[in-house]
Amino acid sequence: MLWRNRDLQVLLAACLGTTAALAVAALATAGAATATWVLVAGLVVTALSAAGYARRTRRLAELASRMEDALATGRRVSFEDMHEGEEAVLSSQAGKTLDALQLTNERLAAEKASLADSLADVSHQLRTPITSLGLELELARRDAAEPAARAHLMRAEQLRARMAWLVEALLKLARIDAGVVVLDRRDMVAAELVDRAIAPLGVALDLADVRLRLHVDPVATAHVDPAWTAEALENVVKNCIEHTPAGGTVTITATQDLLACRIRVEDTGPGIAPQDLPHMFERFYRGAADKGATGDKNATSATNPAGVGIGLSLARAIVVAEDGHLTATNATAQDGTVTGARFDFAFYRATV
Amino acid sequence: MAVRILLVEDDPDIVRSLQELLEREGYAVRQTDARDEAVRLATAPGHQAFDLALVDVTLRQGNGFAVCSAIKDATPEVPVVFLTASGDEYSTVAGLTMGADDYVAKPFRPRELLARIAAILRRSRPAAEQTLRLGDVELDPARARVTKAGRELVLTPIEYRLLLQFAAHPGRLVTRDAIREALWEEAGAYVSDNTINVYVRRLRKKIEDDPAHPQLVVTVRGLGGYRGVADPEEAPGGSPALDAGAADKGATGPDGATDQGGR
């Protein structure tokens, strides 16, 4: 392998060439005996140079190999036994660099753990007053004699619910971002995921007068966390219901091919404005023309009171964490008119 | 005798309001914030001390799982409902694995908690008592199945919820306000009186022999609501005394909300 080294080849060629040239010159000017000594001297020098070169190359390779070990295993690796001139300097620098990297990694891991703890604390701190608030509002509502007062308290409860939803969604996003969510991925039948996602939406669908159509391949399975994935699906379905006018339909199709398990959710609403399409999954994005199904820019959604900005964001974060894809497009008819919005989930099957 | 609930919860704000809410619902509540005392209370020898235990798993001292284990060991038929922190999947799975009957994540909607408690208590009653009935229409909440004269009826989710409300407390007034509040909570939408009338009309079309002259779900004029009638022949028009006594500001009790086990 060493012989393939270009520099070594050049070195050998130069040495041997020079030796040959000098030997010939010696032969011409000083006779065969001198020429032979010149030749021998040249060959010896060439051999020693090559050997020295090979040795240095080997030590550099050794240094590179140790660095690779250190990076791969994360363990501190010593370079103290490499002490030959510039090699020593290089070794020492490599050692220091790796140490610094190691420290940074350790610090990051500690920060992540501490962040996870903080998030858990914050969750608890927020949930308790929100829960108490809900209980107090319920008690107040039972005590309120005036219908107007009861209506106010009902609205207060809705606002509280919206806050609770926002807090939970934001905390989930933060936990996913921090990488502290432990997904319990198992082989889940798509039908079960879909059922779980739509179970809480019966009354909402009924009130909005939106039909739900399911085309689920019973064989389709995905290797996902059931609770998180059902939540992602539910958020998308809620978004579709919200944007579908009365009398419309939301269709959920689940299929499977060689590459992935695919779940498509499609509505019969106005679709997504082209300028909004690339931003659909950004946090808090409401879209320039987001008017919901009723056309009112300030409409608070019936089914998703916290607003569309977080639900889709969270759905995508969950899907990405499960090595999947979630995309949004517009469904179009043959003639190109938009028939509604379309969301495609792809859960990739294990790599072969 | 009032249903007895053991509440194991240590947050003072939640304790105060939750205890009051449960007592207003007619439950007798015994509260403790300490794991050991909870276990002692729940497993006192002799008769069964409680009909249901509501246990917070996020107790500061000790954990709710131990309480659940102890209760299930001593009195396996007493249902245990966990209050968990939302998003804490580990606790949820662990709790259900060790025999908890249900869990409710904080923050919860109070009515949902009440509905779940009622559903679990109903489940622990013998099967025959669980079915609700208005005339020849029967509703099995455990299976969410409705039949009329033995034939299965298909109701939409809202129709089912309405029927559940009327059938859970036959003879009791269910105001439109109460219906509105129940639906508002679940779907986040304000439902007008008109819409409610429409839904009740649709329900009547499915369950009444003669929807034009309803006998199972009758309108109560002047009090803004409806009343479920269990035995139409016996009380054709309803008695005024029953109406007046049941006009309790619209709270329809623990069965007023969804029966589904939820997330």
Side-chain angles (χ1 to χ4, degrees), chain B residues 115-148:
Chain B
R116 297 268 195 91
I117 291 174
I120 290 196
L121 288 169
R122 197 167 36 227
R123 251 184 263 159
S124 47
R125 276 192 249 132
E129 288 180 31
Q130 292 184 35
T131 313
L132 306 172
R133 191 181 60 81
L134 288 180
D136 64 350
V137 173
E138 290 197 347
L139 189 156
D140 178 358
R143 267 179 240 94
R145 198 164 167 271
V146 180
T147 59
K148 179 175 174 67

PDB file of all heavy atoms in Angstrom, chain B residues 115-148:
ATOM      1  N   ALA B 115     -67.748  12.830  34.411  1.00  0.00           N
ATOM      2  CA  ALA B 115     -68.355  11.836  33.521  1.00  0.00           C
ATOM      3  C   ALA B 115     -67.602  10.512  33.605  1.00  0.00           C
ATOM      4  O   ALA B 115     -68.213   9.439  33.625  1.00  0.00           O
ATOM      5  CB  ALA B 115     -68.354  12.362  32.093  1.00  0.00           C
ATOM      6  N   ARG B 116     -66.260  10.572  33.646  1.00  0.00           N
ATOM      7  CA  ARG B 116     -65.488   9.343  33.716  1.00  0.00           C
ATOM      8  C   ARG B 116     -65.747   8.612  35.010  1.00  0.00           C
ATOM      9  O   ARG B 116     -65.861   7.389  35.036  1.00  0.00           O
ATOM     10  CB  ARG B 116     -63.992   9.636  33.641  1.00  0.00           C
ATOM     11  CG  ARG B 116     -63.561  10.256  32.364  1.00  0.00           C
ATOM     12  CD  ARG B 116     -63.140   9.222  31.359  1.00  0.00           C
ATOM     13  NE  ARG B 116     -62.413   9.912  30.311  1.00  0.00           N
ATOM     14  CZ  ARG B 116     -61.093  10.081  30.325  1.00  0.00           C
ATOM     15  NH1 ARG B 116     -60.391   9.544  31.296  1.00  0.00           N
ATOM     16  NH2 ARG B 116     -60.523  10.755  29.377  1.00  0.00           N
ATOM     17  N   ILE B 117     -65.827   9.385  36.112  1.00  0.00           N
ATOM     18  CA  ILE B 117     -66.090   8.753  37.402  1.00  0.00           C
ATOM     19  C   ILE B 117     -67.448   8.063  37.353  1.00  0.00           C
ATOM     20  O   ILE B 117     -67.596   6.907  37.762  1.00  0.00           O
ATOM     21  CB  ILE B 117     -66.053   9.795  38.544  1.00  0.00           C
ATOM     22  CG1 ILE B 117     -64.623  10.281  38.746  1.00  0.00           C
ATOM     23  CG2 ILE B 117     -66.621   9.217  39.826  1.00  0.00           C
ATOM     24  CD1 ILE B 117     -64.497  11.408  39.742  1.00  0.00           C
ATOM     25  N   ALA B 118     -68.431   8.771  36.809  1.00  0.00           N
ATOM     26  CA  ALA B 118     -69.769   8.178  36.737  1.00  0.00           C
ATOM     27  C   ALA B 118     -69.759   6.930  35.870  1.00  0.00           C
ATOM     28  O   ALA B 118     -70.387   5.923  36.203  1.00  0.00           O
ATOM     29  CB  ALA B 118     -70.760   9.201  36.183  1.00  0.00           C
ATOM     30  N   ALA B 119     -69.039   6.999  34.769  1.00  0.00           N
ATOM     31  CA  ALA B 119     -68.991   5.850  33.857  1.00  0.00           C
ATOM     32  C   ALA B 119     -68.378   4.648  34.553  1.00  0.00           C
ATOM     33  O   ALA B 119     -68.865   3.520  34.423  1.00  0.00           O
ATOM     34  CB  ALA B 119     -68.190   6.204  32.606  1.00  0.00           C
ATOM     35  N   ILE B 120     -67.308   4.882  35.300  1.00  0.00           N
ATOM     36  CA  ILE B 120     -66.652   3.760  35.976  1.00  0.00           C
ATOM     37  C   ILE B 120     -67.529   3.191  37.074  1.00  0.00           C
ATOM     38  O   ILE B 120     -67.620   1.976  37.244  1.00  0.00           O
ATOM     39  CB  ILE B 120     -65.309   4.205  36.559  1.00  0.00           C
ATOM     40  CG1 ILE B 120     -64.367   4.463  35.412  1.00  0.00           C
ATOM     41  CG2 ILE B 120     -64.759   3.165  37.512  1.00  0.00           C
ATOM     42  CD1 ILE B 120     -62.963   4.541  35.795  1.00  0.00           C
ATOM     43  N   LEU B 121     -68.197   4.051  37.812  1.00  0.00           N
ATOM     44  CA  LEU B 121     -69.079   3.550  38.861  1.00  0.00           C
ATOM     45  C   LEU B 121     -70.207   2.742  38.250  1.00  0.00           C
ATOM     46  O   LEU B 121     -70.632   1.718  38.784  1.00  0.00           O
ATOM     47  CB  LEU B 121     -69.640   4.716  39.679  1.00  0.00           C
ATOM     48  CG  LEU B 121     -68.618   5.372  40.599  1.00  0.00           C
ATOM     49  CD1 LEU B 121     -69.176   6.676  41.152  1.00  0.00           C
ATOM     50  CD2 LEU B 121     -68.278   4.429  41.755  1.00  0.00           C
ATOM     51  N   ARG B 122     -70.686   3.210  37.099  1.00  0.00           N
ATOM     52  CA  ARG B 122     -71.775   2.498  36.450  1.00  0.00           C
ATOM     53  C   ARG B 122     -71.291   1.125  35.981  1.00  0.00           C
ATOM     54  O   ARG B 122     -72.008   0.136  36.077  1.00  0.00           O
ATOM     55  CB  ARG B 122     -72.296   3.308  35.271  1.00  0.00           C
ATOM     56  CG  ARG B 122     -73.671   2.858  34.804  1.00  0.00           C
ATOM     57  CD  ARG B 122     -74.306   3.856  33.857  1.00  0.00           C
ATOM     58  NE  ARG B 122     -73.336   4.477  32.997  1.00  0.00           N
ATOM     59  CZ  ARG B 122     -73.277   5.790  32.783  1.00  0.00           C
ATOM     60  NH1 ARG B 122     -74.120   6.595  33.382  1.00  0.00           N
ATOM     61  NH2 ARG B 122     -72.367   6.301  31.981  1.00  0.00           N
ATOM     62  N   ARG B 123     -70.042   1.091  35.500  1.00  0.00           N
ATOM     63  CA  ARG B 123     -69.493  -0.171  34.998  1.00  0.00           C
ATOM     64  C   ARG B 123     -69.351  -1.205  36.099  1.00  0.00           C
ATOM     65  O   ARG B 123     -69.418  -2.401  35.849  1.00  0.00           O
ATOM     66  CB  ARG B 123     -68.106   0.060  34.395  1.00  0.00           C
ATOM     67  CG  ARG B 123     -68.076  -0.061  32.891  1.00  0.00           C
ATOM     68  CD  ARG B 123     -66.679   0.085  32.382  1.00  0.00           C
ATOM     69  NE  ARG B 123     -66.412   1.434  31.934  1.00  0.00           N
ATOM     70  CZ  ARG B 123     -65.190   1.955  31.822  1.00  0.00           C
ATOM     71  NH1 ARG B 123     -64.145   1.265  32.152  1.00  0.00           N
ATOM     72  NH2 ARG B 123     -65.031   3.189  31.384  1.00  0.00           N
ATOM     73  N   SER B 124     -69.135  -0.701  37.314  1.00  0.00           N
ATOM     74  CA  SER B 124     -68.942  -1.688  38.374  1.00  0.00           C
ATOM     75  C   SER B 124     -70.274  -2.164  38.950  1.00  0.00           C
ATOM     76  O   SER B 124     -70.320  -2.996  39.835  1.00  0.00           O
ATOM     77  CB  SER B 124     -68.025  -1.133  39.477  1.00  0.00           C
ATOM     78  OG  SER B 124     -68.430   0.166  39.830  1.00  0.00           O
ATOM     79  N   ARG B 125     -71.351  -1.648  38.419  1.00  0.00           N
ATOM     80  CA  ARG B 125     -72.646  -2.175  38.826  1.00  0.00           C
ATOM     81  C   ARG B 125     -72.955  -3.386  37.962  1.00  0.00           C
ATOM     82  O   ARG B 125     -72.420  -3.527  36.881  1.00  0.00           O
ATOM     83  CB  ARG B 125     -73.745  -1.125  38.615  1.00  0.00           C
ATOM     84  CG  ARG B 125     -73.880  -0.140  39.757  1.00  0.00           C
ATOM     85  CD  ARG B 125     -75.150   0.676  39.625  1.00  0.00           C
ATOM     86  NE  ARG B 125     -74.863   2.068  39.325  1.00  0.00           N
ATOM     87  CZ  ARG B 125     -75.468   2.745  38.366  1.00  0.00           C
ATOM     88  NH1 ARG B 125     -76.367   2.170  37.621  1.00  0.00           N
ATOM     89  NH2 ARG B 125     -75.161   4.010  38.162  1.00  0.00           N
ATOM     90  N   PRO B 126     -73.848  -4.248  38.436  1.00  0.00           N
ATOM     91  CA  PRO B 126     -74.180  -5.415  37.601  1.00  0.00           C
ATOM     92  C   PRO B 126     -74.723  -4.982  36.248  1.00  0.00           C
ATOM     93  O   PRO B 126     -75.337  -3.929  36.140  1.00  0.00           O
ATOM     94  CB  PRO B 126     -75.249  -6.160  38.419  1.00  0.00           C
ATOM     95  CG  PRO B 126     -75.602  -5.280  39.540  1.00  0.00           C
ATOM     96  CD  PRO B 126     -74.522  -4.294  39.741  1.00  0.00           C
ATOM     97  N   ALA B 127     -74.491  -5.814  35.248  1.00  0.00           N
ATOM     98  CA  ALA B 127     -74.799  -5.450  33.863  1.00  0.00           C
ATOM     99  C   ALA B 127     -76.231  -4.996  33.675  1.00  0.00           C
ATOM    100  O   ALA B 127     -76.516  -4.073  32.926  1.00  0.00           O
ATOM    101  CB  ALA B 127     -74.488  -6.617  32.937  1.00  0.00           C
ATOM    102  N   ALA B 128     -77.145  -5.649  34.335  1.00  0.00           N
ATOM    103  CA  ALA B 128     -78.555  -5.320  34.132  1.00  0.00           C
ATOM    104  C   ALA B 128     -78.866  -3.882  34.492  1.00  0.00           C
ATOM    105  O   ALA B 128     -79.695  -3.233  33.859  1.00  0.00           O
ATOM    106  CB  ALA B 128     -79.421  -6.260  34.961  1.00  0.00           C
ATOM    107  N   GLU B 129     -78.170  -3.374  35.516  1.00  0.00           N
ATOM    108  CA  GLU B 129     -78.467  -2.007  35.942  1.00  0.00           C
ATOM    109  C   GLU B 129     -77.861  -0.952  35.028  1.00  0.00           C
ATOM    110  O   GLU B 129     -78.168   0.214  35.156  1.00  0.00           O
ATOM    111  CB  GLU B 129     -77.901  -1.759  37.347  1.00  0.00           C
ATOM    112  CG  GLU B 129     -78.646  -2.456  38.444  1.00  0.00           C
ATOM    113  CD  GLU B 129     -78.001  -2.155  39.791  1.00  0.00           C
ATOM    114  OE1 GLU B 129     -77.444  -1.045  39.927  1.00  0.00           O
ATOM    115  OE2 GLU B 129     -78.043  -3.028  40.651  1.00  0.00           O
ATOM    116  N   GLN B 130     -76.972  -1.371  34.129  1.00  0.00           N
ATOM    117  CA  GLN B 130     -76.240  -0.357  33.382  1.00  0.00           C
ATOM    118  C   GLN B 130     -77.030   0.203  32.217  1.00  0.00           C
ATOM    119  O   GLN B 130     -76.777   1.301  31.769  1.00  0.00           O
ATOM    120  CB  GLN B 130     -74.940  -0.946  32.845  1.00  0.00           C
ATOM    121  CG  GLN B 130     -73.956  -1.258  33.949  1.00  0.00           C
ATOM    122  CD  GLN B 130     -72.657  -1.745  33.374  1.00  0.00           C
ATOM    123  OE1 GLN B 130     -72.247  -1.292  32.313  1.00  0.00           O
ATOM    124  NE2 GLN B 130     -72.037  -2.684  34.056  1.00  0.00           N
ATOM    125  N   THR B 131     -77.942  -0.572  31.707  1.00  0.00           N
ATOM    126  CA  THR B 131     -78.659  -0.108  30.524  1.00  0.00           C
ATOM    127  C   THR B 131     -79.652   0.976  30.906  1.00  0.00           C
ATOM    128  O   THR B 131     -80.371   0.864  31.895  1.00  0.00           O
ATOM    129  CB  THR B 131     -79.421  -1.280  29.891  1.00  0.00           C
ATOM    130  OG1 THR B 131     -78.546  -2.395  29.810  1.00  0.00           O
ATOM    131  CG2 THR B 131     -79.896  -0.928  28.511  1.00  0.00           C
ATOM    132  N   LEU B 132     -79.669   2.023  30.083  1.00  0.00           N
ATOM    133  CA  LEU B 132     -80.616   3.106  30.311  1.00  0.00           C
ATOM    134  C   LEU B 132     -81.809   2.904  29.388  1.00  0.00           C
ATOM    135  O   LEU B 132     -81.671   2.345  28.299  1.00  0.00           O
ATOM    136  CB  LEU B 132     -79.952   4.450  30.028  1.00  0.00           C
ATOM    137  CG  LEU B 132     -78.643   4.688  30.798  1.00  0.00           C
ATOM    138  CD1 LEU B 132     -77.972   5.943  30.300  1.00  0.00           C
ATOM    139  CD2 LEU B 132     -78.923   4.801  32.292  1.00  0.00           C
ATOM    140  N   ARG B 133     -82.945   3.388  29.825  1.00  0.00           N
ATOM    141  CA  ARG B 133     -84.145   3.093  29.035  1.00  0.00           C
ATOM    142  C   ARG B 133     -85.135   4.250  29.028  1.00  0.00           C
ATOM    143  O   ARG B 133     -85.379   4.878  30.063  1.00  0.00           O
ATOM    144  CB  ARG B 133     -84.814   1.845  29.619  1.00  0.00           C
ATOM    145  CG  ARG B 133     -85.909   1.248  28.769  1.00  0.00           C
ATOM    146  CD  ARG B 133     -86.509   0.033  29.479  1.00  0.00           C
ATOM    147  NE  ARG B 133     -87.073   0.405  30.773  1.00  0.00           N
ATOM    148  CZ  ARG B 133     -88.271   0.949  30.936  1.00  0.00           C
ATOM    149  NH1 ARG B 133     -89.038   1.174  29.890  1.00  0.00           N
ATOM    150  NH2 ARG B 133     -88.700   1.266  32.143  1.00  0.00           N
ATOM    151  N   LEU B 134     -85.660   4.516  27.826  1.00  0.00           N
ATOM    152  CA  LEU B 134     -86.795   5.432  27.702  1.00  0.00           C
ATOM    153  C   LEU B 134     -87.816   4.686  26.860  1.00  0.00           C
ATOM    154  O   LEU B 134     -87.613   4.474  25.666  1.00  0.00           O
ATOM    155  CB  LEU B 134     -86.381   6.728  26.962  1.00  0.00           C
ATOM    156  CG  LEU B 134     -85.488   7.733  27.676  1.00  0.00           C
ATOM    157  CD1 LEU B 134     -85.212   8.916  26.750  1.00  0.00           C
ATOM    158  CD2 LEU B 134     -86.110   8.235  28.969  1.00  0.00           C
ATOM    159  N   GLY B 135     -88.904   4.264  27.488  1.00  0.00           N
ATOM    160  CA  GLY B 135     -89.906   3.523  26.736  1.00  0.00           C
ATOM    161  C   GLY B 135     -89.284   2.255  26.190  1.00  0.00           C
ATOM    162  O   GLY B 135     -88.656   1.483  26.920  1.00  0.00           O
ATOM    163  N   ASP B 136     -89.396   2.035  24.866  1.00  0.00           N
ATOM    164  CA  ASP B 136     -88.824   0.810  24.299  1.00  0.00           C
ATOM    165  C   ASP B 136     -87.447   1.079  23.687  1.00  0.00           C
ATOM    166  O   ASP B 136     -86.910   0.258  22.947  1.00  0.00           O
ATOM    167  CB  ASP B 136     -89.780   0.202  23.251  1.00  0.00           C
ATOM    168  CG  ASP B 136     -89.969   1.121  22.044  1.00  0.00           C
ATOM    169  OD1 ASP B 136     -89.525   2.281  22.105  1.00  0.00           O
ATOM    170  OD2 ASP B 136     -90.558   0.671  21.043  1.00  0.00           O
ATOM    171  N   VAL B 137     -86.905   2.247  24.003  1.00  0.00           N
ATOM    172  CA  VAL B 137     -85.564   2.564  23.505  1.00  0.00           C
ATOM    173  C   VAL B 137     -84.566   2.276  24.618  1.00  0.00           C
ATOM    174  O   VAL B 137     -84.690   2.805  25.711  1.00  0.00           O
ATOM    175  CB  VAL B 137     -85.472   4.052  23.093  1.00  0.00           C
ATOM    176  CG1 VAL B 137     -84.038   4.416  22.736  1.00  0.00           C
ATOM    177  CG2 VAL B 137     -86.387   4.321  21.913  1.00  0.00           C
ATOM    178  N   GLU B 138     -83.574   1.424  24.313  1.00  0.00           N
ATOM    179  CA  GLU B 138     -82.574   1.097  25.316  1.00  0.00           C
ATOM    180  C   GLU B 138     -81.198   1.557  24.875  1.00  0.00           C
ATOM    181  O   GLU B 138     -80.838   1.430  23.702  1.00  0.00           O
ATOM    182  CB  GLU B 138     -82.545  -0.424  25.554  1.00  0.00           C
ATOM    183  CG  GLU B 138     -83.787  -0.908  26.273  1.00  0.00           C
ATOM    184  CD  GLU B 138     -83.598  -2.299  26.866  1.00  0.00           C
ATOM    185  OE1 GLU B 138     -82.605  -2.971  26.515  1.00  0.00           O
ATOM    186  OE2 GLU B 138     -84.459  -2.701  27.656  1.00  0.00           O
ATOM    187  N   LEU B 139     -80.432   2.060  25.856  1.00  0.00           N
ATOM    188  CA  LEU B 139     -79.101   2.562  25.563  1.00  0.00           C
ATOM    189  C   LEU B 139     -78.110   1.858  26.473  1.00  0.00           C
ATOM    190  O   LEU B 139     -78.242   1.907  27.693  1.00  0.00           O
ATOM    191  CB  LEU B 139     -79.070   4.077  25.814  1.00  0.00           C
ATOM    192  CG  LEU B 139     -77.832   4.868  25.377  1.00  0.00           C
ATOM    193  CD1 LEU B 139     -78.206   6.318  25.163  1.00  0.00           C
ATOM    194  CD2 LEU B 139     -76.707   4.796  26.382  1.00  0.00           C
ATOM    195  N   ASP B 140     -77.127   1.221  25.873  1.00  0.00           N
ATOM    196  CA  ASP B 140     -76.089   0.537  26.646  1.00  0.00           C
ATOM    197  C   ASP B 140     -74.827   1.398  26.584  1.00  0.00           C
ATOM    198  O   ASP B 140     -74.128   1.379  25.582  1.00  0.00           O
ATOM    199  CB  ASP B 140     -75.836  -0.850  26.033  1.00  0.00           C
ATOM    200  CG  ASP B 140     -74.731  -1.602  26.753  1.00  0.00           C
ATOM    201  OD1 ASP B 140     -74.139  -1.040  27.702  1.00  0.00           O
ATOM    202  OD2 ASP B 140     -74.471  -2.749  26.379  1.00  0.00           O
ATOM    203  N   PRO B 141     -74.553   2.151  27.657  1.00  0.00           N
ATOM    204  CA  PRO B 141     -73.429   3.099  27.591  1.00  0.00           C
ATOM    205  C   PRO B 141     -72.082   2.399  27.436  1.00  0.00           C
ATOM    206  O   PRO B 141     -71.156   2.949  26.849  1.00  0.00           O
ATOM    207  CB  PRO B 141     -73.492   3.842  28.923  1.00  0.00           C
ATOM    208  CG  PRO B 141     -74.773   3.477  29.557  1.00  0.00           C
ATOM    209  CD  PRO B 141     -75.226   2.187  28.962  1.00  0.00           C
ATOM    210  N   ALA B 142     -71.977   1.187  27.976  1.00  0.00           N
ATOM    211  CA  ALA B 142     -70.685   0.507  27.890  1.00  0.00           C
ATOM    212  C   ALA B 142     -70.310   0.233  26.449  1.00  0.00           C
ATOM    213  O   ALA B 142     -69.157   0.321  26.058  1.00  0.00           O
ATOM    214  CB  ALA B 142     -70.746  -0.801  28.682  1.00  0.00           C
ATOM    215  N   ARG B 143     -71.332  -0.076  25.644  1.00  0.00           N
ATOM    216  CA  ARG B 143     -71.047  -0.391  24.233  1.00  0.00           C
ATOM    217  C   ARG B 143     -71.490   0.734  23.303  1.00  0.00           C
ATOM    218  O   ARG B 143     -71.354   0.611  22.099  1.00  0.00           O
ATOM    219  CB  ARG B 143     -71.753  -1.697  23.844  1.00  0.00           C
ATOM    220  CG  ARG B 143     -70.861  -2.918  24.018  1.00  0.00           C
ATOM    221  CD  ARG B 143     -71.570  -4.218  23.653  1.00  0.00           C
ATOM    222  NE  ARG B 143     -71.624  -5.124  24.777  1.00  0.00           N
ATOM    223  CZ  ARG B 143     -72.621  -5.219  25.631  1.00  0.00           C
ATOM    224  NH1 ARG B 143     -73.700  -4.476  25.479  1.00  0.00           N
ATOM    225  NH2 ARG B 143     -72.579  -6.058  26.642  1.00  0.00           N
ATOM    226  N   ALA B 144     -72.031   1.793  23.874  1.00  0.00           N
ATOM    227  CA  ALA B 144     -72.546   2.912  23.058  1.00  0.00           C
ATOM    228  C   ALA B 144     -73.513   2.383  22.012  1.00  0.00           C
ATOM    229  O   ALA B 144     -73.448   2.763  20.841  1.00  0.00           O
ATOM    230  CB  ALA B 144     -71.404   3.682  22.402  1.00  0.00           C
ATOM    231  N   ARG B 145     -74.404   1.513  22.436  1.00  0.00           N
ATOM    232  CA  ARG B 145     -75.331   0.869  21.512  1.00  0.00           C
ATOM    233  C   ARG B 145     -76.766   1.234  21.895  1.00  0.00           C
ATOM    234  O   ARG B 145     -77.146   1.205  23.061  1.00  0.00           O
ATOM    235  CB  ARG B 145     -75.146  -0.642  21.608  1.00  0.00           C
ATOM    236  CG  ARG B 145     -75.722  -1.402  20.439  1.00  0.00           C
ATOM    237  CD  ARG B 145     -75.169  -2.827  20.404  1.00  0.00           C
ATOM    238  NE  ARG B 145     -75.956  -3.629  19.473  1.00  0.00           N
ATOM    239  CZ  ARG B 145     -77.051  -4.313  19.808  1.00  0.00           C
ATOM    240  NH1 ARG B 145     -77.459  -4.326  21.060  1.00  0.00           N
ATOM    241  NH2 ARG B 145     -77.727  -4.985  18.900  1.00  0.00           N
ATOM    242  N   VAL B 146     -77.539   1.591  20.864  1.00  0.00           N
ATOM    243  CA  VAL B 146     -78.925   1.999  21.109  1.00  0.00           C
ATOM    244  C   VAL B 146     -79.864   1.098  20.328  1.00  0.00           C
ATOM    245  O   VAL B 146     -79.630   0.835  19.141  1.00  0.00           O
ATOM    246  CB  VAL B 146     -79.143   3.471  20.670  1.00  0.00           C
ATOM    247  CG1 VAL B 146     -80.576   3.883  20.921  1.00  0.00           C
ATOM    248  CG2 VAL B 146     -78.177   4.382  21.408  1.00  0.00           C
ATOM    249  N   THR B 147     -80.911   0.616  21.005  1.00  0.00           N
ATOM    250  CA  THR B 147     -81.887  -0.200  20.285  1.00  0.00           C
ATOM    251  C   THR B 147     -83.298   0.330  20.553  1.00  0.00           C
ATOM    252  O   THR B 147     -83.562   0.946  21.593  1.00  0.00           O
ATOM    253  CB  THR B 147     -81.858  -1.664  20.755  1.00  0.00           C
ATOM    254  OG1 THR B 147     -82.140  -1.694  22.162  1.00  0.00           O
ATOM    255  CG2 THR B 147     -80.521  -2.318  20.486  1.00  0.00           C
ATOM    256  N   LYS B 148     -84.173   0.101  19.593  1.00  0.00           N
ATOM    257  CA  LYS B 148     -85.582   0.428  19.789  1.00  0.00           C
ATOM    258  C   LYS B 148     -86.355  -0.831  19.497  1.00  0.00           C
ATOM    259  O   LYS B 148     -86.275  -1.376  18.390  1.00  0.00           O
ATOM    260  CB  LYS B 148     -86.029   1.552  18.861  1.00  0.00           C
ATOM    261  CG  LYS B 148     -87.514   1.898  19.032  1.00  0.00           C
ATOM    262  CD  LYS B 148     -87.909   3.091  18.192  1.00  0.00           C
ATOM    263  CE  LYS B 148     -89.413   3.334  18.242  1.00  0.00           C
ATOM    264  NZ  LYS B 148     -89.935   3.748  19.558  1.00  0.00           N
TER     265      LYS B 148
END
